[in-house]
Amino acid sequence: MLASRDNYADTLTDEIRLARKVLGDDPRQVRTVFVGGGTPTLLAADDLVRMLAAVRDEFGLAPDAEITTEANPESVDPAYLATLREGGFNRISFGMQSARQHVLRILDRTHTPGRPEACVAEARAAGFEHVNLDLIYGTPGESDDDWRASLDAAIGAGPDHVSAYALIVEEGTQLARRIRRGEVPMTDDDVHADRYLIAEERLSAAGFDWYEVSNWATSESGRCLHNELYWRGADWWGAGPGAHSHVGGVRWWNVKHPGAYAAALASGRSPGAGRELLSDEDRRVERILLELRLREGAPLSLLKQDGLAASRRALADGLLQEGPYGEGRAVLTLRGRLLADAVVRDLVD
């Protein structure tokens, strides 16, 4: 079977029905739906609504379910957003990346500066309760002032959530090749740290509070519940080519090729490509890796003897907060957030 944009929604609906059969009589309603990975708004808005309807029909949605889609600013308009909102979506995440044209050009992004901010207004007009803007810092050629301008533009647009991620250069991309040829300089960890501090300063002053190392929201309700469920090891079913899932300590993933994915479902077979059973130790380590990045931190009871010793050193070095530590939790300070990966490695060992 050939995979195409025209039949993608039908194919994904087939996997949603398969999920219902596999999970059997599980009485749980769906608490969150997140349509992302790539550019889902390249599909027609009606297709996204049909996929959501399949989830509702097969599983039921919790009354306060969070329903999110990612969106490219150039692939939506007021009518598209209105269709999504009327179809049940209540949260949207726009890929802004930067407010500077030369930075967007390096990132090979197609939207024009100002369009993401306009999208926030259009989403609000359509009735979206929660709106996120994604930013990227550390792009070659980006200055501190460029980054400040991007933050100010994002804040001024009026979202209730902002995500800010350090640039990761993936092998095989045009940017990776340009860096390797010396055409553009790769930014270093010190620059990333400076940009993060600028983000924390600007966002905090505007009423945003961090709740995960790379995510800020203006209220508890503005936090992305779907991502919090990932970070806390909840169960989820990921539908689509290459999607990963986790239920009851079993993790599996689908074939990546859209044609192979569609062919498997058309013949009544699972599109799964592999699976693994997480051990108790796997789950302990993952809890430390993920929960330490959250504002609430991770319980010290998860740590083994060496990890506890490392946590005491981190506390003395100002990487963990004293108050929560005395209450049995490892919570990162601002300096600890800058060094989160290193702190996690020490606590896991």
Side-chain angles (χ1 to χ4, degrees), residues 251-274:
R251 181 181 291 130
W252 70 93
W253 49 94
N254 287 345
V255 293
K256 291 184 178 180
H257 193 284
Y261 170 79
L265 288 165
S267 63
R269 295 181 291 108
S270 166

Side-chain angles (χ1 to χ4, degrees), residues 8-162:
Y8 187 84
D10 293 332
T11 304
L12 200 85
T13 296
D14 287 341
E15 186 177 1
I16 293 168
R17 291 173 179 148
L18 173 66
R20 175 74 280 176
K21 292 178 182 177
V22 171
L23 295 174
D25 296 326
D26 190 326
R28 291 176 293 179
Q29 291 183 314
V30 172
R31 296 177 60 195
T32 69
V33 177
F34 194 103
V35 184
T39 309
T41 48
L42 288 177
L43 297 175
D46 287 337
D47 284 346
L48 300 188
V49 170
R50 279 200 296 128
M51 292 188 290
L52 175 59
V55 175
R56 182 187 296 112
D57 293 345
E58 295 296 331
F59 292 93
L61 295 172
D64 58 348
E66 175 190 274
I67 316 295
T68 306
T69 185
E70 293 183 335
N72 183 311
E74 298 290 353
S75 62
V76 298
D77 58 24
Y80 191 107
L81 295 169
T83 298
L84 291 182
R85 185 66 192 94
E86 291 166 7
F89 286 84
N90 53 30
R91 187 176 186 276
I92 192 162
S93 177
F94 294 107
M96 178 177 178
Q97 284 79 51
S98 175
R100 297 297 204 199
Q101 185 68 67
H102 70 277
V103 176
L104 292 170
R105 193 176 300 117
I106 291 290
L107 293 171
D108 197 26
R109 304 292 175 157
T110 59
H111 67 265
T112 55
R115 178 59 195 149
E117 298 94 303
C119 284
V120 175
E122 291 171 6
R124 294 294 193 199
F128 277 88
E129 302 166 53
H130 302 296
V131 182
N132 172 60
L133 289 175
D134 272 343
L135 296 173
I136 293 176
Y137 58 87
T139 301
E142 176 193 65
S143 67
D144 284 352
D145 285 343
D146 289 333
W147 178 231
R148 291 188 183 97
S150 294
L151 287 163
D152 291 346
I155 291 166
D160 63 338
H161 191 288
V162 171

Side-chain angles (χ1 to χ4, degrees), residues 136-290:
I136 293 176
Y137 58 87
T139 301
E142 176 193 65
S143 67
D144 284 352
D145 285 343
D146 289 333
W147 178 231
R148 291 188 183 97
S150 294
L151 287 163
D152 291 346
I155 291 166
D160 63 338
H161 191 288
V162 171
S163 300
Y165 301 102
L167 175 68
I168 297 175
V169 180
E170 301 287 352
E171 281 302 317
T173 62
Q174 180 180 351
L175 180 55
R177 290 190 290 271
R178 294 188 66 188
I179 292 173
R180 189 164 52 249
R181 292 193 297 261
E183 296 176 10
V184 293
M186 182 58 195
T187 50
D188 60 27
D189 290 343
D190 289 339
V191 171
H192 284 169
D194 290 343
R195 300 281 161 77
Y196 186 89
L197 291 174
I198 292 171
E200 172 64 18
E201 176 189 8
R202 282 289 210 272
L203 291 166
S204 294
F208 289 79
D209 291 321
W210 80 283
Y211 70 97
E212 191 274 343
V213 168
S214 298
N215 291 274
W216 290 258
T218 58
S219 66
E220 289 289 319
S221 63
R223 294 164 63 151
C224 180
L225 176 60
H226 186 85
N227 283 342
E228 287 192 286
L229 294 177
Y230 284 149
W231 297 324
R232 298 184 187 283
D235 292 337
W236 74 87
W237 189 295
H244 282 61
S245 302
H246 169 266
V247 177
V250 179
R251 181 181 291 130
W252 70 93
W253 49 94
N254 287 345
V255 293
K256 291 184 178 180
H257 193 284
Y261 170 79
L265 288 165
S267 63
R269 295 181 291 108
S270 166
R275 68 193 295 272
E276 62 179 336
L277 177 64
L278 301 177
S279 67
D280 289 342
E281 177 63 7
D282 291 333
R283 301 183 81 170
R284 182 190 76 85
V285 169
E286 288 198 358
R287 283 193 64 188
I288 298 171
L289 290 172
L290 297 173

